[in-house]
């Protein structure tokens, strides 16, 4: 489901990298330009995935890309403490509603 260059993703350490998933229901405009999804045109309702220093944006349609304009600090802003944990990425995405089933959905 992902179409970013896998080379962008950091090498996993032995074991597994910790991915922090931080929901971001509002628009994102790190450089004054509102981020939109290339695939479905969504402008809000993101999931920020923080893998070490890298930040990936994931859309409700399951499109996901590396967003170099976002930093770890952007994730920290909205991050309080872990409240859930999953063993694998796909389960997490399904559980959070980012497996594509809710493409186009927004909540006010
Ligand atoms: Zn999308």
């Amino acid at each position: 489901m992902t179409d970013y260059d896998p080379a962008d993703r950091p090498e996993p350490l032995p074991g597994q990298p910790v991915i922090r998933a931080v929901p971001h229901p509002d628009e994102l405009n790190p450089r004054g330009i509102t981020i939109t999804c290339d695939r479905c045109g969504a402008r809000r309702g993101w999931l920020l995935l923080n893998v070490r220093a890298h930040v990936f944006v994931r859309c409700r349609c399951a499109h996901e890309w590396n967003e170099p304009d976002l930093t770890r600090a952007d994730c920290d802003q909205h991050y309080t403490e872990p409240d859930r944990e999953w063993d694998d990425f796909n389960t997490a995405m399904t559980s959070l509603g980012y497996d594509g089933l809710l493409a186009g959905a927004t909540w006010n």
Side-chain angles (χ1 to χ4, degrees):
M1 286 302 260
T2 54
D3 57 3
Y4 57 82
D5 181 357
D8 288 344
R9 203 156 233 194
E11 282 290 310
L13 289 172
Q16 271 196 325
V18 173
I19 301 174
R20 289 192 307 164
V22 185
H24 187 95
D26 299 321
E27 292 183 351
L28 276 169
N29 38 16
R31 284 188 304 169
I33 301 161
T34 302
I35 291 176
T36 51
C37 174
D38 283 347
R39 186 185 289 167
C40 77
R43 295 167 63 88
R44 48 182 290 195
W46 310 116
L47 189 67
L48 303 182
L49 299 167
N50 176 213
V51 188
R52 300 196 187 92
H54 300 259
V55 177
F56 296 81
V57 177
R58 189 172 176 104
C59 178
R60 289 277 177 194
C61 74
H63 184 45
E64 181 188 317
W65 66 95
N66 187 4
E67 186 54 74
D69 290 340
L70 293 174
T71 63
R72 198 178 165 132
D74 292 304
C75 289
D76 290 339
Q77 256 189 322
H78 303 280
Y79 182 76
T80 47
E81 58 185 25
D83 56 359
R84 281 169 290 181
E85 207 172 283
W86 295 273
D87 287 336
D88 74 272
F89 187 74
N90 289 337
T91 307
M93 292 305 106
T94 303
S95 172
L96 289 166
Y98 282 87
D99 59 349
L101 205 63
L102 297 173
T106 55
W107 284 265
N108 291 311

